[in-house]
Amino acid sequence: MTASFANETFTDLRGEWTLTSVEGDHSTTIEIPGDVHTALRQAGIIPDPYFGRNEIDVQWVAHRDWIIERHFHIDDADAEWYLDVEYLDTVAVIFVNDVPVLSADSCFRRYRPDVSKALQPGDNSIRIHFHSSIKAGADRQAAQPFYVPYHPGNSPIPHGNMLRKPQCHFGWDWNIAIAPLGLYGNIALRRLDTARIEHVSTSQHHLDGGVELHVEVTLHAAYAASVPVHLSLDGERLRLDCGLNAGETVLRHVFFVEKPNLWWPAGSGEQSLSTLTVELPDEIVTKQIGFRTIELLTDKDEAGSRFAFRVNGREIFCRGANWIPADALHSLSSREKTEDLLSSAVEAHMNMIRVWGGGFYEADWFYDLCDRLGLMVWQDFMFACNLYPCTDDFLDNVEHEVSYQVKRLSSHPSIALWCGDNELVGALNWFEESRNNRDRYLVAYDRLNRTIENALKAAAPSALWWPSSPASGYLDYGDAWHADGSGDMHYWSVWHENKSFDNYRSVKPRFCSEFGFQSYTSMPVIKTYADEKDMNISSPVIELHQKNAGGNERIAGTMFRYFRFPKDFESFVYISQVQQALAIKTAVEYWRSLKPHCMGTLYWQLNDTWPVASWSSLDYGGSWKALHYAARRFFQPVTVSAIPSGEGSTVRFAMVNDMAEEVDIDMNIFALSTDGTRTPLKSASGTCGPDAATDMTEIDLSQLAEGTLLSWNFIASNGMTGEGHHVLETYKALELQPSGLEQHVKALSDGQFEIEISARGLALFVMIEADIPGRYSDNLFDLAAGETRRIVFSARDKDFPLHPTFKIFDLFSSQSQG
């Protein structure tokens, strides 16, 4: 939703403010929207929190109270004026001319206090006093009728669960822990002449031959009045004269649209969009509308119960990842950076992202982007991995939060599902207090969950609701981390329980909404926070940039299970990314082959909030890690997956088709020797029906000589292609020979370079890395002896003055051969 106002009724208060510590020992300027830490860093008061071990040195900032202030001019001080404030983080008091006009305690609500009595003609001041979230959390914990636990492994800064603020601000197993604060949205002074628009929400009723678009406009007036309201939908414009009472008045209208073009998820059709406009004499609100139906199918079957989305009458297999905030510090994020991240998701054939419950409800433009890109959004409410209060004041705050966010966002066609929380049911088993008194904490959870559900249904009765993630069903408080028959599943046994990649094939999720495996962030990113002396996985800097307890040991331990010892630090980083890609590929390819039993895989996670070792497929800054290049292959709508049998004696090849039309697939299968020679084994053809998965052929691995790999390639009738290989044992068991890789680089236009890579032997997992940010047309591929591949590198900065240096990795050259 976007809003515009007549100039004489609107004073924009964004821009430069002064920032001062309450003690008065630090003072600088701050750009609003913005955060305190970034302002202090830009002023040289604190070092870059992301570099080295500076996270430790900036902890004092969040223990302080901070004040921001500015002046503004107003002539008509006798009118009705209100402040309009969004994303105020978090416990803060706003003063106008030293008069307190708002006491806020939620980052997730919009505040609109009447400030008329505080204004004066001419110069006015506005001051915001931010209270330390750390102290506020401790005070609120002390006021609870019983202790409410938080997860110290995720949140080294305590008591964040007491506050309606992004939970990852207090740390997470991938996030810096500095408890930022600031104001991240709009702040404006607005005159209330007659009425203002509080909410515009819509619902759709699809009929034979058309759609009824039900529009509900909530208006607020200071006094009883009459106001003309214009409603427009794609050129159809009408005027309604509305009589208002003091307070809120709801205006309803129904548009009928004959045979509309439908909105489809990416890869399933067009993202047709319409424009809805609501106009008052001095205010205009515009919303983006997409006509579509969506259902969540949870009917029972032999395995338990389904979990599948049906859009416009067609079941859609959901391919995607989990979204976390674009940056740990708001001032370092931008619409352009976020659009790049979301575009990368679509380029990897994703059609859904899950906005995880420990971050933000994102800005309106974020969901506009998802609408245009065709990314369905699984939207969590902002509760994650902790227990939460159930006092009346806390639940009242939550009810206002849910009502506002749902009315703000529910009209977006990208919004597919509203989910109550992330892992709160499991959290009941994580703390001694809740294990010893489960009834008390289960009732507290139920009060919170019912508050969220009731507020959602009041704001958007037709919205899809799922109580928690993971959950086996409504009012089912079972173990959805290991039970795979119903609902959505979080499967973490491979990472957290250190099981083999093959273990992904031991479960058959109906919909896996979280699973992941870590890698190190890429070398160019590591060099932004670590000096040369720190390039060791056990160095204090590298360890500080690993937030999951035991994460570095688990990466290393898994590596030694599958690979030979890396020859140096950068090879360690490279192989960590290769094994991450292998882990997620193993899971996705198997689970996709199970459709329609399984109808969704959302891996953890798409992006990073700062430069850190994590489960992401995109580096901090948006560059693609090995996993993202692999995801573009394993999420391709038409693909062939190699699934080994349980005993490892055969490999079956499964055709997977997420398209609405059947496809014919031809494939060739080879024995691949370690000197890079391919020997044909078998050719196969098959037809895969629409939205289906079926087996094509099978290979008996006993026909392969010892130390030989299985390889294949395929082409589908719709033009999609693919290739792959399968190792019978482990990569460390292969007696690889020198690959003889050579590269030739040619500069093209507009910051593009062509890299021609050839191999004299077998080159597995060829990975190109430049010393400047950019994108490759392909990466993480294999070359047999005598093969050549041309890759185009597109620099992010088209005007970069220097010729980039490219380094080529492959498995042989990265492993110690001694």
Coordinates of all heavy atoms in Angstrom, one line a residue, residues 404-432:
Y404 N -3.5 -4.8 12.9 CA -2.8 -3.8 12.0 C -2.1 -4.5 10.9 O -2.3 -4.1 9.7 CB -1.9 -2.9 12.8 CG -1.0 -2.1 11.9 CD1 -1.5 -1.1 11.0 CD2 0.4 -2.2 11.9 CE1 -0.7 -0.4 10.1 CE2 1.2 -1.5 11.1 CZ 0.7 -0.6 10.2 OH 1.5 0.1 9.4
Q405 N -1.3 -5.5 11.2 CA -0.4 -6.1 10.1 C -1.3 -6.9 9.1 O -1.0 -6.8 7.9 CB 0.6 -7.0 10.8 CG 1.6 -6.3 11.7 CD 2.5 -5.4 10.9 OE1 2.6 -5.4 9.6 NE2 3.3 -4.5 11.6
V406 N -2.3 -7.5 9.6 CA -3.2 -8.3 8.7 C -4.0 -7.4 7.8 O -4.1 -7.6 6.6 CB -4.1 -9.3 9.5 CG1 -5.1 -9.9 8.6 CG2 -3.3 -10.3 10.2
K407 N -4.5 -6.3 8.3 CA -5.2 -5.4 7.5 C -4.3 -4.7 6.5 O -4.7 -4.4 5.3 CB -5.9 -4.3 8.3 CG -7.1 -4.9 9.1 CD -7.8 -3.9 10.0 CE -9.0 -4.5 10.8 NZ -9.6 -3.5 11.7
R408 N -3.1 -4.5 6.9 CA -2.1 -3.8 6.0 C -1.7 -4.8 4.8 O -1.5 -4.3 3.7 CB -0.9 -3.5 6.8 CG 0.3 -2.8 6.0 CD 1.4 -2.3 6.9 NE 2.2 -3.4 7.5 CZ 3.3 -3.8 6.9 NH1 3.8 -3.3 5.8 NH2 4.0 -4.7 7.5
L409 N -1.6 -6.1 5.1 CA -0.9 -6.9 4.2 C -1.8 -8.0 3.5 O -1.4 -8.5 2.4 CB 0.2 -7.7 4.9 CG 1.3 -6.8 5.5 CD1 2.3 -7.7 6.2 CD2 2.0 -6.0 4.4
S410 N -3.0 -8.3 4.0 CA -3.7 -9.4 3.5 C -4.2 -9.3 2.1 O -4.5 -10.3 1.5 CB -4.9 -9.7 4.5 OG -5.8 -8.6 4.5
S411 N -4.3 -8.1 1.5 CA -4.8 -8.0 0.2 C -3.7 -8.3 -0.9 O -4.0 -8.5 -2.0 CB -5.2 -6.5 -0.1 OG -6.3 -6.2 0.7
H412 N -2.5 -8.5 -0.5 CA -1.4 -8.9 -1.4 C -1.7 -10.3 -1.9 O -1.8 -11.2 -1.1 CB 0.0 -8.8 -0.8 CG 0.5 -7.4 -0.5 ND1 1.1 -6.7 -1.5 CD2 0.4 -6.6 0.5 CE1 1.4 -5.5 -1.1 NE2 1.1 -5.5 0.2
P413 N -1.7 -10.5 -3.2 CA -1.9 -11.8 -3.8 C -0.7 -12.8 -3.4 O -0.9 -14.0 -3.3 CB -1.9 -11.6 -5.3 CG -1.2 -10.3 -5.5 CD -1.5 -9.5 -4.3
S414 N 0.4 -12.2 -3.0 CA 1.6 -13.1 -2.7 C 1.4 -13.7 -1.3 O 2.0 -14.8 -1.0 CB 2.9 -12.2 -2.7 OG 2.8 -11.1 -1.8
I415 N 0.6 -13.1 -0.4 CA 0.4 -13.7 0.9 C -0.4 -15.0 0.8 O -1.6 -15.0 0.4 CB -0.4 -12.7 1.8 CG1 0.5 -11.4 2.1 CG2 -0.7 -13.4 3.1 CD1 1.6 -11.6 3.1
A416 N 0.2 -16.1 1.1 CA -0.4 -17.4 0.9 C -0.9 -17.9 2.2 O -2.0 -18.5 2.3 CB 0.6 -18.4 0.3
L417 N -0.2 -17.7 3.3 CA -0.6 -18.3 4.6 C -0.1 -17.4 5.7 O 1.0 -16.8 5.7 CB 0.2 -19.7 4.7 CG -0.1 -20.5 6.0 CD1 -1.5 -21.1 5.9 CD2 1.0 -21.6 6.1
W418 N -0.9 -17.4 6.8 CA -0.5 -16.7 8.0 C -0.3 -17.8 9.1 O -1.1 -18.7 9.3 CB -1.6 -15.8 8.5 CG -1.8 -14.6 7.7 CD1 -2.7 -14.5 6.6 CD2 -1.2 -13.3 7.8 NE1 -2.6 -13.2 6.1 CE2 -1.7 -12.5 6.8 CE3 -0.2 -12.8 8.7 CZ2 -1.3 -11.2 6.6 CZ3 0.2 -11.5 8.5 CH2 -0.4 -10.7 7.5
C419 N 0.9 -17.8 9.7 CA 1.3 -18.9 10.6 C 1.6 -18.3 12.0 O 2.2 -17.2 12.1 CB 2.6 -19.6 10.1 SG 3.2 -20.9 11.2
G420 N 1.1 -18.9 13.0 CA 1.0 -18.3 14.4 C 2.4 -18.0 14.9 O 2.6 -17.0 15.7
D421 N 3.4 -18.9 14.7 CA 4.7 -18.7 15.3 C 5.7 -19.6 14.7 O 5.4 -20.5 13.9 CB 4.6 -18.9 16.8 CG 4.2 -20.3 17.2 OD1 5.0 -21.2 17.0 OD2 3.0 -20.4 17.6
N422 N 7.0 -19.5 15.1 CA 8.0 -20.4 14.7 C 8.5 -21.2 16.0 O 9.1 -20.6 16.9 CB 9.2 -19.7 14.1 CG 10.4 -20.6 13.9 OD1 10.4 -21.3 12.9 ND2 11.4 -20.6 14.8
E423 N 8.2 -22.5 16.0 CA 8.7 -23.4 17.0 C 8.4 -23.2 18.4 O 9.1 -23.6 19.3 CB 10.3 -23.5 16.8 CG 10.7 -24.1 15.4 CD 12.1 -24.3 15.3 OE1 12.9 -24.0 16.2 OE2 12.5 -24.9 14.2
L424 N 7.3 -22.5 18.7 CA 6.9 -22.3 20.1 C 6.4 -23.5 20.8 O 6.6 -23.7 22.0 CB 5.8 -21.2 20.2 CG 6.4 -19.8 20.5 CD1 7.4 -19.3 19.4 CD2 5.3 -18.7 20.6
V425 N 5.8 -24.4 20.0 CA 5.3 -25.7 20.6 C 6.6 -26.5 21.1 O 6.6 -27.1 22.2 CB 4.5 -26.5 19.6 CG1 4.1 -27.9 20.2 CG2 3.2 -25.7 19.3
G426 N 7.6 -26.6 20.2 CA 8.8 -27.3 20.6 C 9.4 -26.7 21.8 O 10.0 -27.4 22.6
A427 N 9.4 -25.3 21.9 CA 10.0 -24.6 23.0 C 9.5 -25.0 24.3 O 10.2 -24.8 25.3 CB 9.9 -23.1 22.7
L428 N 8.3 -25.5 24.4 CA 7.7 -26.0 25.6 C 8.6 -27.1 26.2 O 8.6 -27.3 27.5 CB 6.3 -26.5 25.4 CG 5.2 -25.4 25.1 CD1 4.0 -26.1 24.6 CD2 5.0 -24.6 26.3
N429 N 9.4 -27.8 25.4 CA 10.2 -28.9 25.9 C 11.7 -28.5 26.1 O 12.5 -29.3 26.5 CB 10.2 -30.0 24.9 CG 8.8 -30.6 24.7 OD1 8.1 -30.8 25.7 ND2 8.4 -30.9 23.5
W430 N 12.0 -27.2 25.9 CA 13.4 -26.8 25.9 C 13.9 -26.2 27.2 O 15.1 -26.0 27.4 CB 13.6 -25.7 24.8 CG 13.4 -26.2 23.4 CD1 13.2 -27.5 23.0 CD2 13.3 -25.4 22.2 NE1 13.0 -27.6 21.7 CE2 13.0 -26.3 21.1 CE3 13.3 -24.1 21.9 CZ2 12.9 -25.9 19.8 CZ3 13.2 -23.6 20.6 CH2 13.0 -24.5 19.6
F431 N 12.9 -25.9 28.1 CA 13.3 -25.2 29.3 C 12.9 -26.0 30.5 O 11.8 -26.6 30.5 CB 12.6 -23.8 29.3 CG 12.8 -23.0 28.1 CD1 11.8 -22.8 27.2 CD2 14.1 -22.4 27.8 CE1 12.0 -22.1 26.0 CE2 14.3 -21.7 26.7 CZ 13.3 -21.5 25.8
E432 N 13.7 -25.9 31.5 CA 13.4 -26.7 32.8 C 12.0 -26.3 33.4 O 11.2 -27.1 33.8 CB 14.5 -26.5 33.8 CG 14.3 -27.2 35.1 CD 15.4 -27.0 36.1 OE1 16.4 -26.3 35.7 OE2 15.3 -27.6 37.2

